[in-house]
Amino acid sequence: MTKRSVVIGVGHYLPERVVPNAEFEKTLDTSDEWIRSRSGIERRHFAAPDETTSDLATYAAQAALADAGLEAGDIDAIILATSTADLTFPSVATMVQSRLGMTRGFAFDVQAVCAGFIYALSNANALILSGQANRVLVIGAETFSRILDMNDRATCVLFGDGAGALVLEAQEGKGTPEDRGILAADLNSDGSYREMLYVDGGVSTTGTAGKLRMQGNPLFRQAVEKLASTADAALARAGLGHEDIDWIVPHQANIRIIQGTAKKLGLSMDKVVVTVQDHGNTSAASIPLALSVGKARGQIKPGDLLVTEAIGGGLAWGAVVLRW
Ligand code: UT7
């Protein structure tokens, strides 16, 4: 018998305010047509002024716990991926822990920008496999609207706010690729790409939160290549091939990146969960949001083989192969 980290609950939360592309036409030299054709984005959600990352994360966590039929006291650990924490410290994860009324266990944040949820999932799996936790709440939550330069048309039209969460539970499997749960992960980073995507402020530099800066076109080319290769590496580690995939659940940055990666993997777009048109790029929240929406749409079903993959600032990138 082999221990596996199995998804037993999923949920998400999106702030109420929906911002259609047309809203940017009022203040910037841009158009709905440009944004749709270059990125696939039609709208995104922006948090209310008094709504924070921990608020979004708490609502998503509550939805995932309800889906699992569990209460906060049943959870051993919370891992939360974000680059837009409420405060420099404490972690958003401990704020969520307190809001959920969870008085035992441990909680911490992971910061790997858009790849954050993949890193968090992989770490949650490691905690479960090592016996340090039996049930882990894994959350991706962001308020990227707070770090956007609303005068930079090349970036501010691309990102949105939101949160998604999964509950993972230790279960026994047979040790074969037919098992439910996380089957393999592949993590990578290369800090020499720092200038491609970064925030120009921080605690030990400017003392401010800063604004997002991105070299979109070179990053685009890195993304397709690295996402396909990390998906392949994780699949190989799981002993599976492209033909075994039921769904790719990619980071939702740009429909053209999603299409390019699917093509490199030899898969048609009807095997890809796509939410970028409605959410924009929600960084670490995009994969759990897509998992939750994909399940609600009836796309993702128990037993399906999923490949999730993401790339973001660092650069940091990776993939997780799991059976739902
Ligand atoms: O989540 C982390 C990962 N993030 C990504 O992977 C993002 C990767 N990059 C991208 O998604 C794409 O590169 C973008 C959507 C950012 C841009 O698409 P592109 O096809 O690479 O366009 P480009 O950057 O080459 O820009 C084309 C033109 C430029 O004008 P010139 O130089 O050709 O005259 C830009 O100034 O489009 C212009 N442009 C815009 N025009 C209207 C840039 N932003 C806008 C805009 N509206 N919002």
Side-chain angles (χ1 to χ4, degrees):
M1 298 295 262
T2 304
K3 205 187 272 187
R4 296 288 193 191
S5 309
V6 177
V7 177
I8 58 162
V10 60
H12 73 271
Y13 175 79
L14 288 159
E16 210 173 295
R17 184 178 162 216
V18 176
V19 180
N21 290 346
E23 220 164 293
F24 294 97
E25 292 176 353
K26 295 177 195 160
T27 51
L28 293 169
D29 179 15
T30 189
S31 65
D32 174 45
E33 201 284 324
W34 189 96
I35 301 168
R36 275 176 200 252
S37 62
R38 296 295 178 122
S39 71
I41 298 164
E42 298 172 20
R43 60 193 71 81
R44 74 287 291 140
H45 294 246
F46 278 174
D50 61 350
E51 207 171 28
T52 65
T53 296
S54 67
D55 291 327
L56 274 50
T58 301
Y59 303 143
Q62 286 166 335
L65 285 171
D67 188 46
L70 295 177
E71 289 175 0
D74 300 320
I75 300 296
D76 302 314
I78 300 175
I79 307 183
L80 188 144
T82 191
S83 300
T84 46
D86 296 29
L87 301 173
T88 300
F89 72 76
S91 67
V92 180
T94 55
M95 295 182 182
V96 173
Q97 181 187 27
S98 150
R99 291 270 296 275
L100 293 176
M102 179 179 155
T103 50
R104 58 171 206 95
F106 59 97
F108 62 96
D109 288 358
V110 162
Q111 212 273 47
V113 202
C114 299
F117 194 76
I118 297 288
Y119 274 60
L121 258 190
S122 175
N123 277 281
N125 184 44
L127 287 174
I128 286 176
L129 297 189
S130 69
Q132 283 183 277
N134 279 318
R135 291 203 193 98
V136 184
L137 189 54
V138 190
I139 308 170
E142 303 279 16
T143 47
F144 256 53
S145 60
R146 302 279 156 72
I147 53 166
L148 295 176
D149 175 351
M150 292 300 180
N151 295 312
D152 178 12
R153 67 176 184 172
T155 56
C156 72
V157 301
L158 300 174
F159 295 88
D161 302 337
L166 295 183
V167 182
L168 289 180
E169 181 181 72
Q171 292 185 6
E172 291 298 331
K174 293 194 173 72
T176 70
E178 279 69 48
D179 287 348
R180 287 189 66 208
I182 295 179
L183 299 174
D186 181 61
L187 300 183
N188 311 268
S189 64
D190 183 344
S192 67
Y193 289 107
R194 168 181 142 161
E195 298 301 317
M196 256 183 214
L197 180 54
Y198 66 99
V199 169
D200 64 6
V203 178
S204 75
T205 50
T206 59
T208 63
K211 297 293 180 196
L212 182 148
R213 307 293 169 203
M214 181 171 80
Q215 298 169 3
N217 198 274
L219 178 56
F220 185 103
R221 281 181 268 119
Q222 289 295 330
V224 175
E225 188 198 310
K226 289 185 163 42
L227 289 172
S229 66
T230 187
D232 273 339
L235 272 171
R237 210 163 280 165
L240 294 165
H242 298 165
E243 65 285 359
D244 298 307
I245 299 174
D246 291 304
W247 293 104
I248 304 181
V249 187
H251 171 48
Q252 310 281 324
N254 185 318
I255 191 66
R256 291 155 54 221
I257 295 176
I258 295 171
Q259 289 163 340
T261 309
K263 195 170 167 198
K264 265 190 179 274
L265 295 172
L267 293 169
S268 66
M269 285 300 289
D270 57 13
K271 294 215 165 200
V272 186
V273 176
V274 179
T275 58
V276 69
Q277 68 282 1
D278 297 324
H279 303 162
N281 182 346
T282 57
S283 191
S286 92
I287 287 176
L289 265 167
L291 288 167
S292 183
V293 170
K295 185 197 170 201
R297 283 180 189 156
Q299 292 176 305
I300 301 171
K301 297 188 190 66
D304 282 355
L305 197 276
L306 272 49
V307 176
T308 61
E309 28 89 341
I311 185 164
L315 297 179
W317 66 102
V320 169
V321 175
L322 72 141
R323 195 173 295 282
W324 195 254

